[in-house]
């Protein structure tokens, strides 16, 4: 009862608001915005994102356990990898994410052409990630860093290739979103597909921002 | 400052933090304080992406809390593993074949 009095159903609130506006009741404070909020993109995308986050959380747990058991190997591990390549991935993904965010803002301002241009920029920078990966893997193999190179390298390949797969999904999604933007399927009012993609891409960014220091920086 | 300018500033901050973070950890024999700094940089970068790109402050409470838990959990785990690695190794000894 008390809960209903503090937070009355919507139709009651509408009635009470009308009464308060008519001056017969004191003004009703609107609910705090932090309690409500919105779902960026779509609910289905967030289910997928939390599955992805759970998957990577488990892999990070494996990393921490392996690191605790082999501290020396993990301390010397990053010196074997190319810090330049790691920084390159980070800059590519961050710039691609920034372009996606700008594309979303352009769409909200009804600037479809600008949105498409920003998405193309995002695609080019996003594509930089697998290109660097190709060169890095070749460099790694040339330096004997294959699947038999120890627990650090195996953990690195396992996590980074999983991340690469998610980047590929993102790039495919980006092509789809660009096609939809180009054909005028999104508008300032309805662009939930674009927003869902943006949410996915930024989450992929976040996961890389965690992988990067673990494997390339912490020595 | 308008929203697009804020986005540009966020991107610039992320780039500078990434390059700075890489230089920070690139030194050999990094001590515990360097680990804390690297974890801190990781946390700041992830927070910027969450707030500016992912727009989490406007999201529902549950989404916000779950994402922040993941994003802050990782840097904390980096510090804890570095500080209490031996204890974690003892706790998980039976997991290693």
């Amino acid at each position: 009862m008390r809960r209903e009095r503090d937070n009355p159903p919507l139709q009651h609130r509408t009635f009470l608001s009308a009464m308060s506006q008519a001056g017969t009741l004191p003004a009703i404070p609107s609910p705090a915005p932090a309690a409500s909020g919105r779902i960026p993109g779509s609910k289905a995308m967030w289910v997928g994102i939390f599955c992805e986050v759970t998957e990577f959380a488990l892999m990070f747990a494996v990393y921490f356990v392996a690191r605790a058991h082999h501290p020396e190997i993990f301390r010397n591990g990053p010196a074997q990898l190319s810090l330049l390549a790691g920084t390159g991935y980070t800059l590519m993904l961050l710039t691609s994410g920034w372009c996606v965010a700008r594309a979303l803002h352009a769409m909200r301002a009804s600037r479809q052409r600008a949105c498409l241009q920003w998405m193309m920029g995002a695609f080019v920078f996003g594509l930089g990630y697998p290109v660097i990966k190709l060169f890095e893997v070749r460099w790694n193999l040339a330096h004997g860093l294959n699947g038999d190179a120890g627990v650090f390298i195996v953990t690195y390949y396992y996590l980074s290739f999983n991340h690469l797969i998610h980047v590929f999904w993102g790039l495919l999604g980006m092509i789809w979103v660009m096609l939809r933007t180009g054909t005028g399927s999104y508008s300032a009012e309805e662009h939930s597909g674009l927003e869902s993609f943006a949410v996915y891409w930024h989450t992929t960014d976040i996961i890389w921002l965690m992988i990067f220091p673990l494997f390339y920086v912490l020595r | 400052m308008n929203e697009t300018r804020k986005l540009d500033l966020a991107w610039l901050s992320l780039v500078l933090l990434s390059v700075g973070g890489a230089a920070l950890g690139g030194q050999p024999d990094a001590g515990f304080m360097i680990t804390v700094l690297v974890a801190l940089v990781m946390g700041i970068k992830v927070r910027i992406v969450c707030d500016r790109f992912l727009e989490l402050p406007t999201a529902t409470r549950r989404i916000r809390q779950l994402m922040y838990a993941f994003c802050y959990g990782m840097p904390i785990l980096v510090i804890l593993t570095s500080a209490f690695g031996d204890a974690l190794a003892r706790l998980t000894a039976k997991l290693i074949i």
Side-chain angles (χ1 to χ4, degrees), chain A residues 168-179:
Chain A
F168 272 128
W169 291 131
L171 289 171
L172 289 175
M174 211 182 281
I175 292 171
W176 174 250
V177 166
M178 280 195 292
L179 286 173

Side-chain angles (χ1 to χ4, degrees), chain B residues 43-61:
Chain B
I44 293 169
K45 278 160 66 181
V46 166
R47 179 69 193 244
I48 291 173
V49 174
C50 281
D51 287 357
R52 292 284 165 220
F53 292 176
L54 210 48
E55 299 175 347
L56 276 191
T58 63
T60 57
R61 186 181 290 170

Side-chain angles (χ1 to χ4, degrees), chain A residues 11-40:
Chain A
Q11 67 272 26
H12 291 189
R13 264 187 274 164
T14 314
F15 171 73
L16 291 171
S17 299
M19 292 292 282
S20 66
Q21 278 170 11
T24 51
L25 282 175
I28 299 169
S30 56
S36 52
R38 67 190 192 95
I39 296 176

Side-chain angles (χ1 to χ4, degrees), chain B residues 20-87:
Chain B
L24 197 74
Q27 302 156 16
D29 291 330
F32 179 68
M33 282 317 290
I34 296 288
T35 305
V36 173
L37 272 176
V38 168
L40 195 69
V41 169
M42 184 204 283
I44 293 169
K45 278 160 66 181
V46 166
R47 179 69 193 244
I48 291 173
V49 174
C50 281
D51 287 357
R52 292 284 165 220
F53 292 176
L54 210 48
E55 299 175 347
L56 276 191
T58 63
T60 57
R61 186 181 290 170
R62 185 161 293 175
I63 287 177
R64 210 167 51 230
Q65 286 175 343
L66 285 170
M67 284 304 286
Y68 282 149
F70 177 66
C71 293
Y72 286 133
M74 277 299 297
I76 291 169
L77 280 174
V78 169
I79 295 169
L80 289 179
T81 313
S82 184
F84 306 106
D86 294 342

Side-chain angles (χ1 to χ4, degrees), chain A residues 80-118:
Chain A
Q80 299 174 70
L81 298 174
S82 165
L83 182 62
L84 185 67
T87 312
Y89 294 132
T90 310
L91 297 183
M92 289 290 166
L93 282 180
L94 286 176
T95 308
S96 180
W98 168 63
C99 290
V100 169
R102 288 296 302 257
L104 194 59
H105 276 252
M107 181 55 76
R108 283 175 186 158
S110 292
R111 292 164 52 225
Q112 269 87 349
R113 196 180 160 81
C115 174
L116 188 60
Q117 286 168 346
W118 280 111

Side-chain angles (χ1 to χ4, degrees), chain A residues 33-179:
Chain A
S36 52
R38 67 190 192 95
I39 296 176
S42 68
K43 205 178 270 187
M45 181 52 81
W46 278 101
V47 172
I49 282 171
F50 282 120
C51 288
E52 183 187 355
V53 165
T54 307
E55 178 196 353
F56 276 97
L58 287 170
M59 284 192 269
F60 283 132
V62 170
Y63 168 89
F64 285 121
V65 171
R67 189 184 174 96
H69 283 269
H70 307 282
E72 276 303 314
I73 294 173
F74 277 77
R75 207 169 291 141
N76 299 327
Q80 299 174 70
L81 298 174
S82 165
L83 182 62
L84 185 67
T87 312
Y89 294 132
T90 310
L91 297 183
M92 289 290 166
L93 282 180
L94 286 176
T95 308
S96 180
W98 168 63
C99 290
V100 169
R102 288 296 302 257
L104 194 59
H105 276 252
M107 181 55 76
R108 283 175 186 158
S110 292
R111 292 164 52 225
Q112 269 87 349
R113 196 180 160 81
C115 174
L116 188 60
Q117 286 168 346
W118 280 111
M119 284 304 297
M120 283 174 176
F123 186 74
V124 169
F125 284 109
L127 212 55
Y129 181 96
V131 170
I132 296 176
K133 181 61 92 185
L134 188 73
F135 284 108
E136 195 206 15
V137 169
R138 286 177 67 173
W139 187 86
N140 283 352
L141 293 177
H143 287 79
L145 300 177
N146 54 25
D148 299 324
V151 64
F152 175 82
I153 295 295
V154 170
T155 316
Y156 163 72
Y157 278 138
Y158 195 55
L159 252 160
S160 67
F161 275 109
N162 256 296
H163 186 263
L164 180 67
I165 290 168
H166 286 85
V167 170
F168 272 128
W169 291 131
L171 289 171
L172 289 175
M174 211 182 281
I175 292 171
W176 174 250
V177 166
M178 280 195 292
L179 286 173

